[in-house]
Amino acid sequence: MNLPNLLTSLRFVLIPVYIAVFAQGHLIPAFLIMLAAGVTDVLDGYIARRNGQVTKLGMMLDPLADKLMLITVIVSLLISGHISWVAAAAMFLRDLGMIAGGMFFHFRGKKTVPANWMGKLTTVLFYGSIMLIFFEVPNAHSYLWAVIAFSFLTSIMYIAMFKALNKPAAGTPTGHS
């Protein structure tokens, strides 16, 4: 197992650690664990690309580790009353739609849009809004809703890019009569 995949695996290990710390009411240490997971995400991608260590296993496990950590954090904030059901549902709906859509089109042989700066910015903004909630900053929930709206906007942009990427070339039959 190479270093990037080891860092990705560490993120899976950090999930139950986060749960245990959060469940004991230690919000700041729990946030630091989530932040450590985010740092390993940045590092594993950087190291993999820089050293030519990108693997199929890593391409599969990396986004899974990210989503599981984010889901864990969202559920913990929901159960503890730090965010509303509506906010959690909006975040889950968007992520579920992106995952399901990507899988559906991938298995139909369509080209999928790789993660780009918009997706990465959305993730950074989500982490920022979660940090504000952890530190109980005034208006943190308004910022979270702005990030949720931005995430839906980026999803619409991904859909547009997907359509352009899979647009049949001029003169290519589309299967419609």
Side-chain angles (χ1 to χ4, degrees), residues 11-80:
R11 285 206 306 284
F12 285 105
V13 172
L14 287 175
I15 292 170
V17 174
Y18 167 86
I19 292 169
V21 171
F22 187 91
Q24 292 181 6
H26 304 294
L27 293 182
I28 303 308
F31 172 76
L32 293 175
I33 292 166
M34 182 194 79
L35 188 61
V39 169
T40 66
D41 182 27
V42 172
L43 283 175
D44 71 13
Y46 172 75
I47 293 168
R49 285 186 296 279
R50 186 191 74 191
N51 296 339
Q53 295 179 321
V54 175
T55 65
K56 287 185 180 184
L57 178 65
M59 289 189 300
M60 181 185 71
L61 291 181
D62 181 69
L64 180 60
D66 297 343
K67 292 298 179 196
L68 286 177
M69 177 56 90
L70 190 58
I71 288 168
T72 301
V73 171
I74 292 168
V75 169
S76 69
L77 292 172
L78 174 64
I79 290 171
S80 65

Side-chain angles (χ1 to χ4, degrees), residues 96-114 155-156 158-167:
L96 185 62
M98 293 293 287
I99 292 168
M103 288 174 53
F104 175 78
F105 292 113
H106 171 76
F107 289 116
R108 295 197 62 194
K110 301 287 185 180
K111 297 175 188 171
T112 55
V113 178
S155 295
I156 292 167
Y158 269 102
I159 291 167
M161 287 186 284
F162 170 81
K163 283 183 168 185
L165 189 63
N166 286 283
K167 184 177 180 182

